[in-house]
Every structure is written in structure tokens, then in C-alpha cells.
Amino acid sequence: MTRGVSAVQIVGSWSVPVSFLPKPNRTLEKHRKRTAKANALRDAYRVVDARDKGRCVVTGRRTVPRHVDPRVRREHHHVRPRSVAPELVVDPDNIVTVCAEAHRLLQSYYIVAESDGRGGWSFAWNSHVRPEDRLFSIRPVRSCDART
């Protein structure tokens, strides 16, 4: 390389300074990271589904993936939000199986989750929700213990 001349690579019929070329593996590396995260989350969801036996931990209803009815559709709720605790995104102890109806109420803080101190969670209606506005009763066994 001559002094004062930057490295040049021939691309097609063009001479392009190397500094303008994208790093060859950056796109592939980003794809691999994204795929690894998605696979880890999918695996965590499988563990949670097996632990919760396909039932909503709030209502006790049997849930089905991708169902049309929100009372039956299976969704997963991160008890400590992803934005607050990104390190817990793939931790099965932080994820619970819920029906879509309960998930909407959890996300809008009509239902609150509290730690039971043993690694599980309990759910209750928020105090601002009037009894006549409660759409369903929260199941009596309100603890979702991650170890059972």
C-alpha cells in the first residue's frame, strides 16, 4: 500500500475504499443473535406450558394456542416486564401462562401480580376495580409455584 492511499477493493468494475464496505459478518451475526434469543424464548415458553399444564394461572381456564376466543387463547405474561428486567426475559420463573382476556387485564393493571416469597406469584384484582366490574373470579388456588 502506498503512503497516503487508503486500501481499495474492487467491487464489480468499481474501486471502493475498504472503509465504505460493510463488515462481512455483521448481518449474519445479528441474525444469529436474534435467532438464538427467539429459540431461548420459545424453549422457556415450552417449559412454562408444561409447568402450568396449559391452564391460565389467573382464571384456571384451559388454554389453546392461537385460538380465536380471547377467553381460551394461550398467551404468556412476563410478571416482571421485559423492559424492567431484560435479564429475566427467558427465565421460566418470570413467565406465566394466561388466557388473552386475563393478559389484557394484567397489562392494563386491572389485575396485579405479587410474589409469594417462595418463587411463585399470586394474582388479585387491583383495588380500584369495583366488584361489579370484575369480569371473572380469580381462581382460588392463586399461587403459581415454579417448582411444582
Side-chain angles (χ1 to χ4, degrees):
M1 184 162 75
T2 314
R3 184 174 259 191
V5 176
S6 62
V8 175
Q9 184 173 346
I10 305 299
V11 177
S13 61
W14 296 84
S15 296
V16 178
V18 173
S19 61
F20 288 118
L21 294 175
K23 295 190 183 234
N25 292 331
R26 184 168 173 107
T27 303
L28 287 174
E29 189 59 34
K30 286 172 74 174
H31 175 71
R32 285 187 191 116
K33 279 178 147 178
R34 194 176 314 118
T35 302
K37 285 181 182 179
N39 289 341
L41 189 59
R42 186 187 66 230
D43 293 342
Y45 286 162
R46 285 182 181 157
V47 169
V48 170
D49 287 340
R51 180 195 67 206
D52 296 340
K53 299 179 178 91
R55 294 214 170 257
C56 174
V57 297
V58 176
T59 64
R61 295 175 184 153
R62 189 179 64 83
T63 60
V64 179
R66 297 178 296 278
H67 198 277
V68 177
D69 187 355
R71 294 171 297 175
V72 179
R73 185 173 53 246
R74 180 180 305 158
E75 294 185 357
H76 297 94
H77 179 67
H78 288 78
V79 182
R80 295 203 51 214
R82 295 178 184 201
S83 59
V84 173
E87 69 278 3
L88 298 177
V89 168
V90 294
D91 182 9
D93 294 340
N94 185 49
I95 304 170
V96 292
T97 303
V98 293
C99 62
E101 183 178 36
H103 197 204
R104 182 178 53 83
L105 294 169
L106 277 161
Q107 289 181 322
S108 57
Y109 300 104
Y110 283 93
I111 298 175
V112 293
E114 296 174 353
S115 174
D116 66 2
R118 297 177 295 124
W121 301 95
S122 63
F123 301 89
W125 287 100
N126 204 332
S127 60
H128 75 276
V129 180
R130 298 182 312 212
E132 60 270 14
D133 293 337
R134 297 176 182 180
L135 301 174
F136 50 79
S137 62
I138 294 178
R139 76 181 199 176
V141 181
R142 296 180 0 197
S143 178
C144 170
D145 193 356
R147 294 174 291 233
T148 59

